Amino acid sequence: MQGGFPIDLILFAMVAAFLVLRLRSVLGKRQGYERPPQAPGVPEARSTRVENVTEDIARARIDGPRRTLPITSTPAGQALSRIGAADPSFDPQGFLDGAEQAFRMIVEAFARGDRQTLRSLLSDDTYAGFEGAVTAREQAQQSQRTEIRSIQEMAIEGAALNGTLAEVTVRFVSDQVNITTGSGNEVVAGTDAVTEVVDIWTFQRDVATKDPTWKLTATRSA
């Protein structure tokens, strides 16, 4: 509208700023049941039920991905307790909320070649590996399309606290579509079929700092 104030642009900018701040604060922050409304696309948990399915693990089931947490008697469970003691804001369920968002953002940013997003969420060494792969793809004039159709399972498989450096390893089981195309839009890798992908990601954070961001430090496929 001529002469009008561009209120739609301001609203978009405010939403973008909120999402960036939300991601930086959610990993490791206590989410609990008193958390504020989640970002669009992340369903609010309606119920939580914990079951002892073996002597080694407890499964916390909520809407969305099936979640597995180690029980407190295991080394990983004891490490999570130590992390919580060092950082009272840490909560395993809240951590998984943020880990899910980070997983989606990192996978999609890598496919787009979004270096800025990757830089903010990855450690220096991990970023170097991701950036190298993006550069090689660009030099080959290839493009990647990745769609995360669903995340079926998330499990905390390991944890440690070395001094003030906290480390949590998460297993993601997701259904994805991954296709790499060449300069002529020909398919050079991948398929339109939905494929189950299992990723093991390790996040780290110095709990002595005020920065709440957990950064991805290692990745591997199972």
Side-chain angles (χ1 to χ4, degrees):
M1 182 171 60
Q2 291 185 351
F5 196 70
I7 187 66
D8 54 341
L9 296 180
I10 293 178
L11 289 175
F12 284 134
M14 292 174 64
V15 171
F18 168 78
L19 290 176
V20 171
L21 291 174
R22 176 66 173 164
L23 177 66
R24 285 181 58 80
S25 63
V26 72
L27 279 172
K29 286 287 188 178
R30 180 173 297 279
Q31 298 293 305
Y33 294 104
E34 71 274 18
R35 66 174 179 268
Q38 295 193 359
V42 182
E44 182 71 23
R46 289 194 293 267
S47 64
T48 300
R49 180 165 58 93
V50 177
E51 301 174 319
N52 289 325
V53 294
T54 70
E55 63 181 359
D56 296 321
I57 62 174
R59 294 189 184 278
R61 301 181 185 277
I62 67 170
D63 293 345
R66 183 172 71 253
R67 300 182 176 203
T68 302
L69 301 176
I71 60 175
T72 55
S73 61
T74 64
Q78 293 172 358
L80 291 177
S81 297
R82 291 195 297 273
I83 294 172
D87 178 9
S89 70
F90 176 80
D91 170 69
Q93 286 288 359
F95 174 87
L96 287 178
D97 286 342
E100 179 181 355
Q101 294 183 47
F103 179 79
R104 292 180 182 275
M105 291 187 71
I106 292 170
V107 169
E108 292 169 2
F110 174 72
R112 294 193 309 270
D114 182 352
R115 292 176 172 82
Q116 183 176 359
T117 296
L118 294 174
R119 169 65 76 181
S120 67
L121 298 174
L122 275 57
S123 68
D124 291 343
D125 289 344
T126 305
Y127 174 77
F130 275 62
E131 199 279 334
V134 170
T135 297
R137 192 171 65 212
E138 292 173 344
Q139 291 175 345
Q141 296 185 326
Q142 295 176 347
S143 299
Q144 182 171 330
R145 176 169 67 88
T146 296
E147 299 176 14
I148 300 177
R149 296 293 178 85
S150 65
I151 298 179
Q152 299 296 332
E153 180 178 359
M154 299 169 59
I156 293 181
E157 294 201 333
L161 181 64
N162 300 309
T164 61
L165 186 63
E167 179 178 286
V168 181
T169 298
V170 182
R171 179 176 183 265
F172 297 90
V173 180
S174 62
D175 291 335
Q176 299 184 24
V177 173
N178 289 283
I179 301 176
T180 301
T181 56
S183 57
N185 205 35
E186 72 280 9
V187 176
V188 297
T191 174
D192 276 323
V194 176
T195 303
E196 181 179 274
V197 180
V198 181
D199 293 290
I200 311 296
W201 285 16
T202 298
F203 299 90
Q204 286 184 350
R205 173 177 174 260
D206 188 341
V207 296
T209 68
K210 294 182 179 180
D211 184 356
T213 304
W214 290 75
K215 292 201 171 185
L216 179 64
T217 60
T219 66
R220 63 183 175 88
S221 298

